[in-house]
Coordinates of all heavy atoms in Angstrom, one line a residue:
G682 N 45.5 42.3 -8.9 CA 45.8 42.3 -10.3 C 47.1 41.7 -10.7 O 47.4 41.5 -11.9
A683 N 47.9 41.3 -9.7 CA 49.3 40.7 -10.0 C 49.1 39.4 -10.6 O 49.9 38.9 -11.4 CB 50.2 40.8 -8.9
G684 N 48.2 38.6 -10.0 CA 47.8 37.3 -10.6 C 48.7 36.1 -10.1 O 48.4 35.0 -10.3
S685 N 49.8 36.4 -9.3 CA 50.7 35.3 -8.9 C 50.2 34.6 -7.6 O 50.5 33.5 -7.4 CB 52.1 35.8 -8.7 OG 52.1 36.9 -7.8
L686 N 49.4 35.3 -6.8 CA 48.9 34.7 -5.6 C 47.4 34.7 -5.7 O 46.7 35.6 -6.3 CB 49.3 35.6 -4.4 CG 50.8 35.7 -4.1 CD1 51.0 36.6 -2.9 CD2 51.4 34.3 -3.8
P687 N 46.7 33.7 -5.0 CA 45.3 33.8 -5.0 C 44.7 34.9 -4.2 O 45.3 35.3 -3.2 CB 44.9 32.4 -4.3 CG 46.1 32.1 -3.5 CD 47.3 32.7 -4.2
T688 N 43.7 35.5 -4.7 CA 43.0 36.5 -3.9 C 41.7 36.0 -3.3 O 41.3 35.0 -3.8 CB 42.8 37.8 -4.8 OG1 42.1 37.4 -5.9 CG2 44.0 38.5 -5.1
N689 N 41.2 36.8 -2.4 CA 39.9 36.3 -1.8 C 39.9 34.9 -1.3 O 38.9 34.2 -1.5 CB 38.7 36.5 -2.8 CG 38.5 38.0 -3.2 OD1 39.1 38.9 -2.6 ND2 37.6 38.2 -4.1
K690 N 41.0 34.6 -0.6 CA 41.1 33.2 -0.1 C 40.3 33.1 1.2 O 40.4 33.9 2.0 CB 42.6 33.0 0.2 CG 42.9 31.6 0.8 CD 44.4 31.6 1.0 CE 44.8 30.3 1.7 NZ 46.3 30.2 1.9
K691 N 39.5 32.0 1.3 CA 38.7 31.8 2.4 C 39.5 31.0 3.5 O 40.1 29.9 3.1 CB 37.4 31.0 2.1 CG 36.4 32.0 1.4 CD 35.2 31.2 1.0 CE 34.3 32.2 0.3 NZ 33.5 31.5 -0.7
V692 N 39.6 31.5 4.7 CA 40.5 30.8 5.7 C 39.7 30.6 7.0 O 38.8 31.4 7.3 CB 41.8 31.5 5.9 CG1 42.6 31.5 4.7 CG2 41.6 32.9 6.4
S693 N 40.1 29.7 7.8 CA 39.7 29.5 9.2 C 40.8 29.8 10.1 O 42.0 29.3 9.9 CB 39.3 28.1 9.3 OG 39.1 27.7 10.6
V694 N 40.6 30.7 11.1 CA 41.7 31.2 11.9 C 41.4 30.9 13.5 O 40.2 31.1 13.9 CB 41.8 32.7 11.7 CG1 42.5 33.4 12.8 CG2 42.6 32.9 10.4
I695 N 42.4 30.5 14.2 CA 42.3 30.4 15.6 C 43.4 31.3 16.2 O 44.5 31.2 15.8 CB 42.5 29.0 16.1 CG1 41.3 28.1 15.7 CG2 42.7 28.8 17.6 CD1 41.6 26.6 15.8
F696 N 43.0 32.3 17.0 CA 44.0 33.0 17.7 C 44.5 32.4 18.9 O 43.8 31.8 19.7 CB 43.3 34.4 18.2 CG 43.0 35.4 17.0 CD1 41.9 36.2 17.2 CD2 43.8 35.5 15.9 CE1 41.6 37.1 16.2 CE2 43.5 36.4 14.9 CZ 42.4 37.2 15.1
V697 N 45.9 32.4 19.1 CA 46.5 31.8 20.2 C 47.1 32.8 21.1 O 48.0 33.5 20.7 CB 47.6 30.7 19.8 CG1 48.2 30.0 21.0 CG2 47.0 29.7 18.8
L698 N 46.5 33.0 22.3 CA 46.9 34.1 23.2 C 47.3 33.6 24.5 O 47.1 32.5 24.9 CB 45.8 35.1 23.3 CG 45.3 35.8 22.0 CD1 44.1 36.7 22.2 CD2 46.4 36.5 21.3
G699 N 48.0 34.5 25.2 CA 48.5 34.1 26.6 C 49.8 35.0 26.8 O 50.3 35.6 25.9
G700 N 50.2 35.0 28.1 CA 51.3 35.9 28.5 C 52.6 35.4 27.8 O 52.7 34.3 27.3
P701 N 53.6 36.3 27.8 CA 54.9 35.9 27.3 C 55.5 34.7 28.1 O 55.5 34.8 29.3 CB 55.8 37.2 27.5 CG 54.8 38.3 27.9 CD 53.6 37.7 28.4
G702 N 55.8 33.7 27.3 CA 56.4 32.5 28.0 C 55.3 31.5 28.5 O 55.6 30.5 29.2
S703 N 54.1 31.7 28.2 CA 53.0 30.8 28.7 C 53.0 29.5 27.9 O 52.4 28.6 28.3 CB 51.7 31.5 28.6 OG 51.4 31.9 27.2
G704 N 53.8 29.4 26.8 CA 53.9 28.2 26.1 C 53.1 28.1 24.8 O 52.9 27.1 24.3
K705 N 52.8 29.3 24.3 CA 52.0 29.3 23.0 C 52.7 28.6 21.9 O 52.1 27.8 21.2 CB 51.7 30.8 22.6 CG 51.0 31.6 23.7 CD 50.7 33.0 23.3 CE 51.9 33.9 23.1 NZ 52.6 34.2 24.3
G706 N 54.0 29.0 21.7 CA 54.7 28.5 20.5 C 54.9 27.0 20.7 O 54.8 26.2 19.7
T707 N 55.2 26.5 21.9 CA 55.4 25.1 22.2 C 54.1 24.3 21.8 O 54.2 23.2 21.1 CB 55.8 24.9 23.6 OG1 56.9 25.7 23.9 CG2 56.0 23.5 24.0
Q708 N 53.0 24.8 22.2 CA 51.8 24.0 22.0 C 51.3 24.2 20.5 O 50.8 23.2 19.9 CB 50.6 24.6 22.9 CG 50.9 24.2 24.4 CD 51.1 22.8 24.7 OE1 50.5 21.9 24.0 NE2 51.9 22.4 25.7
C709 N 51.6 25.3 19.9 CA 51.3 25.5 18.4 C 52.0 24.4 17.6 O 51.4 23.8 16.7 CB 51.6 26.8 17.9 SG 50.4 28.1 18.4
A710 N 53.2 24.1 18.0 CA 54.0 23.1 17.2 C 53.3 21.7 17.4 O 53.1 21.0 16.4 CB 55.4 23.0 17.7
N711 N 52.7 21.4 18.5 CA 52.0 20.2 18.7 C 50.7 20.1 17.9 O 50.3 19.1 17.3 CB 51.7 19.9 20.2 CG 52.8 19.6 21.0 OD1 53.8 19.0 20.5 ND2 52.8 19.9 22.3
I712 N 50.0 21.3 17.9 CA 48.7 21.3 17.2 C 48.9 21.2 15.7 O 48.2 20.5 15.0 CB 48.0 22.7 17.5 CG1 47.7 22.9 19.0 CG2 46.7 22.8 16.7 CD1 47.3 24.3 19.4
V713 N 50.0 21.8 15.2 CA 50.4 21.7 13.7 C 50.5 20.2 13.4 O 50.0 19.7 12.4 CB 51.6 22.5 13.4 CG1 52.3 22.1 12.1 CG2 51.4 23.9 13.5
E714 N 51.3 19.5 14.2 CA 51.6 18.1 14.0 C 50.3 17.2 14.0 O 50.2 16.3 13.2 CB 52.5 17.5 15.1 CG 53.8 16.8 14.5 CD 54.7 16.5 15.6 OE1 54.5 15.5 16.3 OE2 55.7 17.3 15.9
N715 N 49.5 17.5 14.9 CA 48.3 16.6 15.1 C 47.0 17.0 14.4 O 46.1 16.2 14.2 CB 48.0 16.5 16.6 CG 49.0 15.7 17.3 OD1 48.9 14.5 17.5 ND2 50.1 16.3 17.8
F716 N 46.9 18.3 14.1 CA 45.6 18.8 13.5 C 45.7 19.5 12.2 O 44.7 20.0 11.7 CB 44.9 19.6 14.6 CG 44.5 18.8 15.8 CD1 45.3 19.0 17.0 CD2 43.5 17.9 15.8 CE1 44.9 18.3 18.1 CE2 43.2 17.2 17.0 CZ 44.0 17.4 18.2
G717 N 46.9 19.5 11.6 CA 47.0 20.0 10.3 C 46.9 21.5 10.0 O 46.6 22.0 8.9
Y718 N 47.1 22.3 11.1 CA 47.1 23.8 11.0 C 48.4 24.3 10.6 O 49.4 23.6 10.8 CB 46.7 24.4 12.3 CG 45.2 24.4 12.6 CD1 44.5 23.2 13.1 CD2 44.4 25.5 12.4 CE1 43.2 23.2 13.3 CE2 43.0 25.5 12.6 CZ 42.4 24.3 13.1 OH 41.1 24.3 13.4
T719 N 48.4 25.5 10.1 CA 49.7 26.2 9.8 C 49.8 27.2 11.0 O 48.9 28.0 11.3 CB 49.7 26.9 8.4 OG1 49.7 25.9 7.4 CG2 50.9 27.8 8.3
H720 N 51.1 27.2 11.5 CA 51.4 28.1 12.7 C 52.0 29.5 12.1 O 53.0 29.4 11.4 CB 52.4 27.5 13.6 CG 52.8 28.3 14.7 ND1 54.0 28.1 15.4 CD2 52.2 29.3 15.4 CE1 54.2 29.0 16.3 NE2 53.1 29.8 16.4
L721 N 51.3 30.6 12.4 CA 51.9 31.9 12.1 C 52.1 32.6 13.4 O 51.1 33.0 14.1 CB 50.9 32.7 11.2 CG 50.6 32.1 9.8 CD1 49.6 33.0 9.1 CD2 51.9 31.9 9.0
S722 N 53.4 32.9 13.8 CA 53.6 33.6 15.0 C 53.9 35.1 14.6 O 54.8 35.4 13.8 CB 54.8 33.0 15.7 OG 55.5 34.0 16.5
A723 N 53.1 36.0 15.2 CA 53.2 37.4 14.8 C 54.7 37.9 15.2 O 55.3 38.6 14.4 CB 52.2 38.2 15.6
G724 N 55.1 37.4 16.4 CA 56.5 37.8 16.8 C 57.6 37.3 15.9 O 58.5 38.0 15.5
D725 N 57.4 36.0 15.4 CA 58.4 35.5 14.4 C 58.4 36.3 13.1 O 59.4 36.5 12.5 CB 58.1 34.0 14.1 CG 58.5 33.1 15.2 OD1 59.1 33.5 16.2 OD2 58.1 31.9 15.2
L726 N 57.1 36.6 12.6 CA 57.1 37.4 11.4 C 57.8 38.7 11.6 O 58.4 39.2 10.7 CB 55.6 37.5 11.0 CG 54.9 36.3 10.5 CD1 53.4 36.5 10.4 CD2 55.5 35.8 9.2
L727 N 57.6 39.3 12.7 CA 58.2 40.7 12.9 C 59.7 40.6 13.0 O 60.5 41.4 12.4 CB 57.7 41.3 14.2 CG 56.2 41.8 14.2 CD1 55.7 42.1 15.6 CD2 56.1 43.0 13.3
R728 N 60.2 39.5 13.7 CA 61.6 39.2 13.8 C 62.2 39.0 12.4 O 63.3 39.4 12.0 CB 62.0 38.1 14.7 CG 61.9 38.5 16.2 CD 62.3 37.4 17.2 NE 61.2 36.4 17.3 CZ 60.2 36.5 18.1 NH1 60.1 37.5 18.9 NH2 59.3 35.5 18.2
A729 N 61.5 38.2 11.5 CA 61.9 37.9 10.1 C 62.0 39.2 9.3 O 62.9 39.4 8.5 CB 61.0 36.9 9.5
E730 N 61.1 40.1 9.6 CA 61.0 41.4 8.9 C 62.2 42.2 9.2 O 62.8 42.9 8.3 CB 59.7 42.1 9.2 CG 59.5 43.4 8.5 CD 59.1 43.2 7.0 OE1 59.1 42.0 6.5 OE2 58.9 44.2 6.3
I731 N 62.7 42.1 10.4 CA 63.9 42.9 10.9 C 65.1 42.3 10.1 O 65.9 43.0 9.5 CB 64.2 42.7 12.4 CG1 63.0 43.3 13.2 CG2 65.5 43.4 12.8 CD1 63.1 43.1 14.7
K732 N 65.2 41.0 10.1 CA 66.3 40.3 9.4 C 66.3 40.6 7.9 O 67.4 40.6 7.3 CB 66.2 38.8 9.7 CG 66.8 38.4 11.0 CD 67.2 36.9 11.0 CE 67.6 36.5 12.4 NZ 67.0 35.2 12.8
S733 N 65.1 40.8 7.3 CA 65.1 40.9 5.9 C 65.7 42.3 5.4 O 65.8 42.5 4.2 CB 63.6 40.9 5.4 OG 62.9 42.1 5.7
G734 N 66.0 43.1 6.4 CA 66.5 44.5 6.0 C 65.4 45.4 5.6 O 65.8 46.5 4.9
S735 N 64.2 45.2 6.0 CA 63.1 46.1 5.6 C 63.3 47.5 6.2 O 63.9 47.7 7.1 CB 61.8 45.5 6.0 OG 61.0 46.3 6.8
E736 N 62.6 48.4 5.5 CA 62.7 49.8 6.0 C 62.1 50.0 7.4 O 62.4 50.9 8.1 CB 62.0 50.8 4.9 CG 60.6 50.4 4.7 CD 59.9 51.4 3.8 OE1 60.5 52.4 3.4 OE2 58.7 51.1 3.4
N737 N 61.2 49.1 7.7 CA 60.5 49.1 9.0 C 61.4 48.4 10.1 O 61.1 48.4 11.3 CB 59.2 48.4 9.1 CG 58.2 49.3 8.4 OD1 58.2 50.5 8.5 ND2 57.2 48.7 7.6
G738 N 62.5 47.8 9.7 CA 63.3 47.0 10.6 C 63.7 47.6 11.9 O 63.6 47.1 13.0
T739 N 64.3 48.8 11.8 CA 64.8 49.5 13.0 C 63.6 49.8 13.9 O 63.7 49.7 15.1 CB 65.5 50.8 12.6 OG1 66.4 50.5 11.5 CG2 66.3 51.4 13.7
M740 N 62.5 50.3 13.4 CA 61.4 50.7 14.2 C 60.9 49.4 15.0 O 60.6 49.4 16.2 CB 60.3 51.2 13.3 CG 59.0 51.6 14.0 SD 57.8 50.2 14.2 CE 57.3 50.0 12.6
I741 N 60.7 48.3 14.2 CA 60.2 47.0 14.8 C 61.2 46.6 15.9 O 60.8 46.2 17.0 CB 60.1 45.9 13.8 CG1 59.0 46.3 12.7 CG2 59.6 44.6 14.4 CD1 58.9 45.4 11.5
S742 N 62.5 46.6 15.6 CA 63.5 46.2 16.6 C 63.4 46.9 17.8 O 63.5 46.4 18.9 CB 64.8 46.2 15.9 OG 65.9 46.0 16.8
N743 N 63.3 48.3 17.7 CA 63.2 49.2 18.9 C 62.0 48.8 19.8 O 62.0 48.8 21.0 CB 63.3 50.6 18.5 CG 64.5 51.0 18.0 OD1 65.6 50.4 18.4 ND2 64.6 52.1 17.2
M744 N 60.9 48.6 19.1 CA 59.6 48.3 19.7 C 59.8 47.0 20.5 O 59.3 46.9 21.7 CB 58.4 48.2 18.8 CG 58.1 49.4 17.9 SD 57.4 50.7 18.9 CE 55.7 50.5 18.7
I745 N 60.4 46.0 19.9 CA 60.5 44.7 20.5 C 61.4 44.8 21.7 O 61.1 44.2 22.8 CB 60.9 43.6 19.6 CG1 59.8 43.3 18.5 CG2 61.4 42.3 20.3 CD1 60.2 42.2 17.5
K746 N 62.5 45.5 21.6 CA 63.4 45.7 22.8 C 62.7 46.3 24.0 O 63.0 46.1 25.1 CB 64.6 46.6 22.4 CG 65.7 45.7 21.7 CD 66.8 46.6 21.3 CE 67.6 46.1 20.1 NZ 68.3 47.1 19.3
E747 N 61.7 47.2 23.7 CA 61.0 47.9 24.7 C 59.7 47.1 25.1 O 59.0 47.6 25.9 CB 60.6 49.2 24.2 CG 61.7 50.3 24.1 CD 62.3 50.4 25.5 OE1 61.6 50.7 26.5 OE2 63.6 50.3 25.6
G748 N 59.5 46.0 24.5 CA 58.2 45.2 24.8 C 57.0 45.9 24.3 O 55.9 45.5 24.8
K749 N 57.1 46.8 23.4 CA 55.9 47.6 22.9 C 55.3 46.8 21.8 O 55.9 46.0 21.0 CB 56.4 49.0 22.5 CG 56.7 49.8 23.7 CD 57.0 51.2 23.2 CE 57.4 52.1 24.4 NZ 58.1 53.3 24.0
I750 N 54.0 47.3 21.4 CA 53.3 46.7 20.4 C 53.5 47.5 19.1 O 53.2 48.6 19.0 CB 51.8 46.5 20.7 CG1 51.7 45.6 22.0 CG2 51.0 46.0 19.6 CD1 50.3 45.5 22.6
V751 N 53.9 46.8 18.1 CA 54.2 47.4 16.8 C 52.9 47.8 16.1 O 51.9 47.1 16.3 CB 55.0 46.3 15.9 CG1 55.1 46.8 14.4 CG2 56.3 45.9 16.5
P752 N 52.9 48.9 15.4 CA 51.6 49.4 14.8 C 50.9 48.3 14.0 O 51.6 47.5 13.2 CB 52.0 50.5 13.9 CG 53.3 51.1 14.4 CD 54.0 49.8 15.1

Side-chain angles (χ1 to χ4, degrees):
S685 56
L686 297 176
T688 52
N689 294 353
K690 179 180 174 182
K691 285 175 185 156
V692 294
S693 165
V694 159
I695 292 167
F696 288 147
V697 182
L698 301 177
S703 56
K705 301 182 293 295
T707 304
Q708 295 302 330
C709 280
N711 288 334
I712 299 166
V713 165
E714 228 174 83
N715 288 268
F716 298 104
Y718 280 79
T719 292
H720 175 208
L721 298 179
S722 153
D725 285 350
L726 289 170
L727 290 168
R728 284 183 284 274
E730 186 69 357
I731 299 171
K732 277 199 189 137
S733 76
S735 126
E736 56 178 353
N737 286 324
T739 311
M740 179 275 288
I741 299 171
S742 172
N743 290 335
M744 301 288 267
I745 290 181
K746 276 182 211 154
E747 286 300 310
K749 290 183 181 161
I750 298 170
V751 172

